[in-house]
Amino acid sequence: MLDEAMVALAASVGSGVVQAAGTDAWQAMRNRLARVFGRGDRQQEAVQLERLDRTAAELTAAGQDADGPDGDEPAANGSEERARHGAAWRTRTEDLLERLDPDERAAVAAEFRALLDAAAAARPAAGGITRNTYFGPTAVQSGDGNVQVNRFDSRP
């Protein structure tokens, strides 16, 4: 059983995979993730590379259909694909972390954190355009360095 920090890290990895797919950061993230999941086994690393390539291809295909009929509303399919792939990579990450002994788990967690930091550094600065689809009550978080604002209402 994983503690809250490891579960949150796994969720971050899942989100990170989805966010990085199709960006300049993708190749580096893809290769590092495959090495971490492969755990030194070249064959397993190749399997993970195939999974990551399939993820990127499916997210790219869903992104091409991301606009609704009037061009400014995201279609549900793109959001569903992103959620599905994020959940799949979160689960894979949780499974890996659960299999490891505590010392290995700490080392792999540090690798995941470094990987996520590198991917975040490669993303464009704040102010870019993002699309989100919310189905029901949603908590939106935004932050800049040491300040984080949490809103639980419909204000922007």
Side-chain angles (χ1 to χ4, degrees):
M1 184 90 181
L2 296 175
D3 63 21
E4 280 185 43
M6 291 295 133
V7 172
L9 177 61
S12 294
V13 171
S15 295
V17 168
V18 170
Q19 291 172 8
T23 69
D24 292 340
W26 177 246
Q27 286 302 318
M29 182 173 205
R30 167 193 175 270
N31 294 336
R32 286 180 72 181
L33 266 177
R35 278 194 299 276
V36 172
F37 278 99
R39 308 296 303 138
D41 179 342
R42 298 292 239 168
Q43 187 175 10
Q44 185 61 358
E45 188 175 323
V47 168
Q48 297 306 322
L49 285 169
E50 288 176 24
R51 283 182 171 162
L52 288 159
D53 289 342
R54 195 168 45 248
T55 293
E58 289 177 16
L59 289 171
T60 299
Q64 290 172 350
D65 299 331
D67 288 331
D70 52 1
D72 59 4
E73 291 243 359
N77 186 40
S79 297
E80 290 171 6
E81 281 297 304
R82 293 175 70 79
R84 185 174 70 81
H85 284 286
W89 283 102
R90 180 195 70 227
T91 300
R92 288 182 184 118
T93 304
E94 288 174 352
D95 290 346
L96 172 64
L97 292 170
E98 284 178 342
R99 284 194 310 264
L100 301 174
D101 66 50
D103 291 336
E104 284 182 302
R105 183 178 302 143
V108 169
E111 289 180 57
F112 281 138
R113 287 185 192 100
L115 188 146
L116 292 169
D117 289 344
R123 281 197 298 266
I129 298 172
T130 61
R131 290 186 166 177
N132 297 300
T133 302
Y134 302 103
F135 301 103
T138 303
V140 177
Q141 297 182 356
S142 63
D144 63 344
N146 294 328
V147 178
Q148 179 173 326
V149 178
N150 295 320
R151 294 214 169 121
F152 297 92
D153 59 16
S154 61
R155 289 183 290 160

